[in-house]
């Protein structure tokens, strides 16, 4: 077992034995974007993500453990498995995400957040990758969520190899004023575009909270410029 594998594995039991989880549950509203909310202090979550891209029959499975260190800071170590056309499912890399939000929650104003993500591929011929995600979210009194993302990524060994992406999403609860703990449906849409090669995808997103522990999201995003960019993304969250 490598040093990085031991490090990621060690984080999981550490999180599980830390202080009791907060009474509230959090949830994410989008699959392509991040919004302002983080796991609450001491909240633990297992998140599974599946991504399918039509071009190259690309399939990615990601598993992350999320832990709320405080109400404004969370860590998320994870692992990614990839299968592409003609290939076998394999471990593609390891990832660590540090998530921050700022200020206290208020409706009808934009709330800022920042994510720093670091990806290390198993294939050491490939560069490590880092990404900064700048986030603005606005929640109204009815539970609607308007979120904007601006992402800047780069290969850590070749910093001139940069990439950037913008995205916007809107989510609407099936019942106005529905709390984030309350079971029910949400409906919305997301758009994301890379600014170097202008690959753009857009489509509907549906979310369902079954109970205070389990939450499910799904997006079908159409390739705006190229059908090979058609993307399906599914996320399941188990909070405890």
């Amino acid at each position: 077992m490598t040093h990085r594998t031991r490090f990621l594995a060690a984080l999981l039991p550490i999180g599980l034995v830390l202080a009791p989880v907060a009474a509230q549950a959090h949830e994410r509203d989008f699959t392509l974007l991040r919004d302002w909310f983080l796991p609450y202090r001491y909240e633990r979550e297992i998140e599974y993500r599946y991504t399918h891209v039509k071009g190259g029959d690309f399939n990615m499975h990601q598993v992350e453990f999320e832990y709320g260190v405080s109400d404004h800071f969370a860590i998320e170590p994870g692992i990614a498995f990839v299968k592409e056309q003609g290939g076998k499912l394999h471990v593609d890399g390891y990832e660590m995400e540090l998530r921050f939000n700022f200020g206290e929650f208020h409706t009808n104003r934009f709330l800022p957040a920042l994510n720093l993500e670091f990806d290390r591929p198993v294939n050491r011929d490939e560069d490590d990758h880092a990404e900064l995600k700048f986030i603005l979210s606005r929640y109204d009194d009815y539970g609607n969520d308007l979120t904007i993302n601006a992402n800047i990524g780069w290969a850590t060994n070749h910093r001139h190899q940069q990439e950037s992406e913008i995205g916007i999403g809107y989510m609407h609860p099936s019942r106005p004023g529905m709390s984030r703990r309350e079971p029910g449906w949400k409906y919305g849409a997301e758009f994301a575009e890379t600014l170097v090669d202008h690959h753009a995808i857009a489509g509907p997103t549906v979310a369902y909270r079954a109970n205070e522990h389990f939450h499910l999201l799904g997006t079908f995003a159409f390739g705006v410029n190229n059908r090979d960019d058609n993307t399906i993304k599914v996320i399941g969250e188990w909070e405890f």
Side-chain angles (χ1 to χ4, degrees):
M1 182 180 290
T2 64
H3 290 298
R4 63 175 178 269
T5 306
R6 285 195 294 267
F7 170 70
L8 290 172
L11 285 175
L12 297 180
I14 290 172
L16 291 174
V17 299
L18 287 174
V21 67
Q24 294 178 312
H26 98 294
E27 64 187 45
R28 61 184 296 167
D29 278 339
F30 305 102
T31 67
L32 306 179
L33 311 178
R34 286 289 196 176
D35 63 343
W36 181 84
F37 275 104
L38 306 180
Y40 295 109
R41 186 181 184 189
Y42 304 141
E43 183 182 354
R44 295 146 296 196
E45 177 181 304
I46 300 295
E47 181 174 281
Y48 166 75
R49 305 181 204 167
Y50 170 70
T51 303
H52 170 77
V53 181
K54 179 181 178 182
D57 191 24
F58 176 85
N59 299 274
M60 176 180 285
H61 306 264
Q62 296 167 280
V63 180
E64 288 190 349
F65 173 75
E66 301 186 9
Y67 180 69
V69 178
S70 73
D71 286 342
H72 300 287
F73 173 56
I75 58 173
E76 299 184 9
I79 186 171
F81 302 85
V82 167
K83 182 182 183 301
E84 299 181 78
Q85 191 171 34
K88 295 182 178 180
L89 183 68
H90 62 277
V91 176
D92 188 66
Y94 305 93
E95 56 194 40
M96 173 65 76
E97 193 168 358
L98 306 178
R99 302 181 58 199
F100 307 84
N101 66 17
F102 306 97
E104 301 303 321
F105 176 77
H106 292 280
T107 58
N108 304 313
R109 69 174 66 172
F110 278 103
L111 304 173
L114 176 70
N115 288 8
L116 173 60
E117 184 174 332
F118 179 77
D119 298 323
R120 166 162 271 190
V122 170
N123 184 352
R124 298 312 298 144
D125 292 333
E126 300 178 13
D127 288 335
D128 297 343
H129 183 266
E131 185 174 72
L132 278 173
K133 301 180 180 182
F134 300 93
I135 301 158
L136 284 176
S137 294
R138 185 182 186 276
Y139 308 91
D140 66 19
D141 296 328
Y142 300 99
N144 299 309
D145 177 0
L146 173 65
T147 287
I148 301 168
N149 283 190
N151 306 335
I152 301 173
W154 64 93
T156 57
N157 298 332
H158 302 86
R159 298 198 175 190
H160 64 281
Q161 296 181 5
Q162 296 187 1
E163 58 189 42
S164 56
E165 183 180 57
I166 58 169
I168 185 169
Y170 179 80
M171 188 63 82
H172 173 74
S174 59
R175 298 186 302 278
M178 187 175 73
S179 75
R180 300 182 74 83
R181 296 188 66 199
E182 190 177 352
W185 293 88
K186 291 183 178 180
Y187 310 94
E190 299 180 65
F191 168 86
E193 180 179 5
T194 58
L195 298 183
V196 175
D197 51 18
H198 297 288
H199 286 274
I201 56 175
T205 295
V206 176
Y208 175 67
R209 174 168 284 282
N211 51 51
E212 65 180 24
H213 298 291
F214 182 68
H215 183 238
L216 187 66
L217 303 92
T219 299
F220 184 87
F222 299 89
V224 175
N225 306 316
N226 189 332
R227 290 186 179 179
D228 282 343
D229 293 331
N230 287 1
T231 299
I232 297 172
K233 198 167 183 82
V234 177
I235 297 178
E237 300 177 305
W238 179 261
E239 302 154 358
F240 57 99

